[in-house]
Amino acid sequence: MTSLAQHSESFEQIGNHVGILVLHGFACTTQSVQPWAEAFAKRGYTVKMPILAGHGTTPEDLYNTTIEQLVHSATAALEWLQERTEHQVICGFDFGGTIAQHLAQQYHVDGLLLLNAAYQLPAKMLDNVEAVIQSSDTYGPIGTADIKNPRATVYRYDKYPVALAREMIIFTKDVAAQSNRIQAPLLVMHSTDDHVLPPQTVDHLIATASSKEKHLIMLQDSYHYALVDYDAPRIVEQSLYFVKGIDPDRYAQPIEEKQKRKRRR
């Protein structure tokens, strides 16, 4: 097992009738979203956190991966939840958030949580990728991890395959063009100082999504990898609050709790 694989393990827990799908970002590991999965599991939800295709091993595995395979690995996890729960909520970070939007456009889901996700790729990023494509290089450099907390660490690849990056650009544009198909209650959380995906890209989704319930929270104390940064507790708190708000049984008390209250009287 490589050191990277040690920080990228899938997670699943059978809990109540609400299923939570947690999707990590591009070229990084499940460690980047693990606080989400653990928090929901602790509250008794049914949770599925897959390793997306080509991730958690080596950049060479990602080189041999297509967008279709990435999406399929997320779709299979959602279908796993559909077989076991009555309601499903998708949480996506970074490019996992783009895939989450795609799934919300294709399937009925009961909630969509997006953290520093790609809605429309910024011009600077597109220019950087295009420069690598024009150079005929097989891989492009990932760069320094965008984390505000100097003591925090994120585990990820140090390079990305250019061919897959080209596919991602096309896929993200297609997802953005269909954002009006999103109808699920929506919570968007984005760092004001995200140097990978600037918050200006949020505007398109907020304006065009057909969701009747939309929430936008700007994170003031984190950079891109916010769930391992200073804002992690706030992200978890707001996520739990959001999911509780859309749970149809949120006011129902367990039978044993009702009996306890009755005996106290």
Side-chain angles (χ1 to χ4, degrees), residues 165 196 235:
V196 178
I235 294 167

Side-chain angles (χ1 to χ4, degrees), residues 17 29 177 232:
H17 64 290
T29 67

Side-chain angles (χ1 to χ4, degrees), residues 164-225:
L164 182 56
R166 186 185 292 112
E167 289 188 56
M168 288 173 57
I169 291 172
I170 296 172
F171 178 79
T172 302
K173 288 181 178 179
D174 183 60
V175 169
Q178 300 184 67
S179 57
N180 64 311
R181 297 182 61 182
I182 296 175
Q183 298 183 359
L186 177 64
L187 171 60
V188 176
M189 292 176 282
H190 211 102
S191 299
T192 56
D193 291 323
D194 186 337
H195 304 101
V196 178
L197 296 169
Q200 289 78 9
T201 62
V202 176
D203 297 341
H204 173 79
L205 178 66
I206 294 297
T208 59
S210 299
S211 309
K212 293 182 179 179
E213 181 181 344
K214 304 178 190 180
H215 304 278
L216 174 62
I217 296 176
M218 301 307 298
L219 305 171
Q220 305 296 327
D221 204 20
S222 294
Y223 294 162
H224 185 62
Y225 293 93

Side-chain angles (χ1 to χ4, degrees), residues 82-113:
Q82 289 174 329
E83 293 172 358
R84 292 164 176 81
T85 59
E86 298 176 26
H87 310 279
Q88 296 83 42
V89 176
I90 307 177
C91 304
F93 161 68
D94 186 78
F95 189 67
T98 309
I99 297 176
Q101 293 171 71
H102 170 75
L103 293 177
Q105 293 168 3
Q106 305 299 321
Y107 295 85
H108 169 79
V109 296
D110 297 277
L112 179 62
L113 287 81

Side-chain angles (χ1 to χ4, degrees), residues 13-16 18-20 39-47 240 243-244 247:
Q13 169 182 286
I14 302 294
N16 63 21
V18 177
I20 311 293
F40 284 118
K42 187 176 181 180
R43 292 296 180 95
Y45 294 106
T46 297
V47 180
L240 291 170
V243 172
K244 182 178 180 181
D247 181 354

Side-chain angles (χ1 to χ4, degrees), residues 2-194:
T2 66
S3 58
L4 188 62
Q6 292 174 356
H7 299 284
S8 190
E9 298 182 358
S10 60
F11 176 87
E12 63 182 48
Q13 169 182 286
I14 302 294
N16 63 21
H17 64 290
V18 177
I20 311 293
L21 175 59
V22 177
L23 300 176
H24 65 77
F26 177 68
C28 58
T29 67
T30 53
Q31 173 254 358
S32 61
V33 291
Q34 190 171 346
W36 250 347
E38 291 178 346
F40 284 118
K42 187 176 181 180
R43 292 296 180 95
Y45 294 106
T46 297
V47 180
K48 182 76 169 179
M49 180 178 67
I51 301 174
L52 297 178
H55 287 76
T57 52
T58 65
E60 288 69 31
D61 284 338
L62 193 59
Y63 176 81
N64 294 313
T65 302
T66 64
I67 283 291
E68 288 76 14
Q69 291 171 320
L70 281 169
V71 174
H72 176 74
S73 57
T75 303
L78 177 59
E79 291 175 347
W80 184 92
L81 286 170
Q82 289 174 329
E83 293 172 358
R84 292 164 176 81
T85 59
E86 298 176 26
H87 310 279
Q88 296 83 42
V89 176
I90 307 177
C91 304
F93 161 68
D94 186 78
F95 189 67
T98 309
I99 297 176
Q101 293 171 71
H102 170 75
L103 293 177
Q105 293 168 3
Q106 305 299 321
Y107 295 85
H108 169 79
V109 296
D110 297 277
L112 179 62
L113 287 81
L114 302 173
L115 172 63
N116 291 343
Y119 316 103
Q120 288 181 312
L121 295 177
K124 182 178 180 181
M125 174 181 288
L126 293 174
D127 291 342
N128 290 341
V129 173
E130 185 62 28
V132 175
I133 292 173
Q134 295 300 323
S135 71
S136 300
D137 290 339
T138 304
Y139 292 94
I142 291 290
T144 305
D146 192 33
I147 308 175
K148 186 174 184 178
N149 184 351
R151 294 182 297 277
T153 301
V154 63
Y155 298 92
R156 61 195 187 130
Y157 294 148
D158 58 0
K159 58 184 180 180
Y160 66 89
V162 174
L164 182 56
R166 186 185 292 112
E167 289 188 56
M168 288 173 57
I169 291 172
I170 296 172
F171 178 79
T172 302
K173 288 181 178 179
D174 183 60
V175 169
Q178 300 184 67
S179 57
N180 64 311
R181 297 182 61 182
I182 296 175
Q183 298 183 359
L186 177 64
L187 171 60
V188 176
M189 292 176 282
H190 211 102
S191 299
T192 56
D193 291 323
D194 186 337

